[in-house]
Amino acid sequence: MSDTQFDVKKYIRAQFFPHMWCPGCGHGIVMSALLRAIDDLGLKNDDVSVVSGIGCSSRISGYLDFNTAHTMHGRALPTATGVKLANPNLKVIVPFGDGDSTAIGGNHFIHACRRNIDITAIVMNNRIYGMTGGQYSPMSGCGVKASTAPYGVPDRAFDLVELAKGAGATFVARTTVYHAKEAQNTIKKAIEHKGFSVVEILSMCPTQFGRKNKSGEAPQMMEWYKEATVPMGSKKLEENPDLIQRGIFVDEDVPEYCEVYQTNIIDKVMKKG
C-alpha cells in the first residue's frame, strides 16, 4: 500500500496515547516503520502477534492493536516461541531493547537464532537502559558513561550482527532511525523471511545516553547516525574502517523450526498413535 493510504489508527490502541517515551526518543520512529511495513504487506491485525519484555521499547506491544503480550524482562523470545508453535500461521514480531535482548535475555536470543524459528526480532539499540535509570548495557561499549559507570564502561560491546550471525540467525540486518524508510523496507523483508530474523535499529536516547555522554539532543544524535553509518561495502570504509555498516548481512534459506518440529516430532508421534 502507498503512504497516502496508510492509516495508523487501524493499528494502534488510541486509548493508551499519548505514549510514555521521552521527547526525542527514537522508538516512535521504529514503531512507525514497523506499522508501515505491516501495512505494505497487507497483513490483517489478527494475522500478527507482537510480544515484548520490559523497558522503554517494550511498551510498543501495549500501544499496538494486534495479538499482543507484555512479558517479563528478558523473556519475550521464549513467550514468542510458544505463540509461534501454538499458531504457526501468525506473523510473530518481538520488539525489544539492547539490554532486554542481549543481557537478561541473551541466552534466549542465541537459542532462538540457533533454532531458526519464524520470528522477527527487532532490537532497538540505544546503548543504555533508558527506563530503569540509565545503567549500561552489553551494547554500550568502552568509555560510555552510565549511571552504573560514571567513569566509563570498561566492557567491550557486543556486535549484534556478528552475535546473531554466529548463533545461526538466517536473516540479519542493521539500520538506524535516521534512515526511516530503509528501516521500514528492512523490517518488511525480515517479516517476509521464513526463519529467525534479526533487525538491529540504532535508536537514540537523548534523556539517558545523550545527557550522560554529551551527545547533544535528538537532532544531533540523529545527525551522528547519518555521519557514522554507511551502506555495506561503501568505499568510505577504506578511509574510515570504524564506520558502522548498514544493510542485510545474512539472508539464507534454512529449514524453519516449526516445520521441522511438525515433521520430525508431531507427525511421527501421530503415526505411532
Side-chain angles (χ1 to χ4, degrees), residues 51 71 74-85 94 105 108-109 112 115 119:
V51 181
T71 71
R75 308 298 182 242
L77 282 173
T79 303
T81 297
V83 171
K84 184 67 180 181
L85 283 168
V94 178
H108 297 305
F109 180 83
R115 292 187 181 102
I119 291 172

Side-chain angles (χ1 to χ4, degrees), residues 216-229:
E217 296 296 331
Q220 289 74 41
M221 298 182 79
M222 289 275 278
E223 186 71 18
W224 187 85
Y225 293 141
K226 175 185 176 183
E227 301 298 333
T229 70

Side-chain angles (χ1 to χ4, degrees), residues 85 258 260-271:
L85 283 168
C258 292
V260 172
Y261 194 87
Q262 179 70 41
T263 302
N264 292 356
I265 307 288
I266 297 175
D267 289 350
K268 289 180 179 179
V269 171
M270 295 300 291
K271 285 181 181 178

Side-chain angles (χ1 to χ4, degrees), residues 59 158-159 164 171 259:
R59 294 295 299 232
F158 273 136
D159 182 327
F171 184 98
E259 294 179 350

Side-chain angles (χ1 to χ4, degrees), residues 24-227:
C25 174
H27 294 345
I29 298 173
V30 178
M31 183 168 70
S32 174
L34 170 60
L35 294 181
R36 290 175 183 276
I38 289 171
D39 194 66
D40 284 346
L41 292 168
L43 297 173
K44 297 178 181 178
N45 293 45
D46 284 341
D47 295 335
V48 179
S49 177
V50 177
V51 181
S52 63
I54 297 297
C56 305
S57 55
S58 296
R59 294 295 299 232
I60 283 183
S61 62
Y63 296 142
L64 302 185
D65 191 19
F66 302 118
N67 303 287
T68 62
H70 198 179
T71 71
M72 295 181 292
H73 199 190
R75 308 298 182 242
L77 282 173
T79 303
T81 297
V83 171
K84 184 67 180 181
L85 283 168
N87 188 348
N89 293 322
L90 285 172
K91 293 292 186 181
V92 180
I93 301 166
V94 178
F96 48 1
D98 44 301
D100 201 26
S101 60
T102 62
I104 190 170
N107 194 47
H108 297 305
F109 180 83
I110 61 174
H111 290 294
C113 292
R114 176 178 65 87
R115 292 187 181 102
N116 193 39
I117 191 163
D118 188 21
I119 291 172
T120 301
I122 301 173
V123 180
M124 288 168 252
N125 181 8
N126 57 19
R127 302 173 65 195
I128 206 159
Y129 284 84
M131 177 182 283
T132 57
Q135 302 93 332
Y136 72 88
S137 86
M139 310 283 240
S140 295
C142 289
V144 166
K145 292 184 177 179
S147 61
T148 47
Y151 301 104
V153 174
D155 305 339
R156 291 183 298 166
F158 273 136
D159 182 327
L160 187 70
V161 166
E162 294 301 321
L163 176 64
K165 286 167 60 178
T170 53
F171 184 98
V172 183
R174 178 190 288 130
T175 183
T176 84
V177 291
Y178 177 85
H179 304 87
K181 189 66 176 179
E182 178 183 278
Q184 174 185 335
N185 292 332
T186 303
I187 292 172
K188 180 180 175 182
K189 290 176 181 177
I191 294 172
E192 289 180 308
H193 176 77
K194 192 63 174 289
F196 192 71
S197 301
V198 178
V199 180
E200 178 186 15
I201 303 182
L202 306 183
S203 176
M204 67 279 187
C205 174
T207 299
Q208 295 286 8
F209 189 95
R211 290 176 184 176
K212 289 180 174 64
N213 292 281
K214 296 181 171 56
S215 302
E217 296 296 331
Q220 289 74 41
M221 298 182 79
M222 289 275 278
E223 186 71 18
W224 187 85
Y225 293 141
K226 175 185 176 183
E227 301 298 333

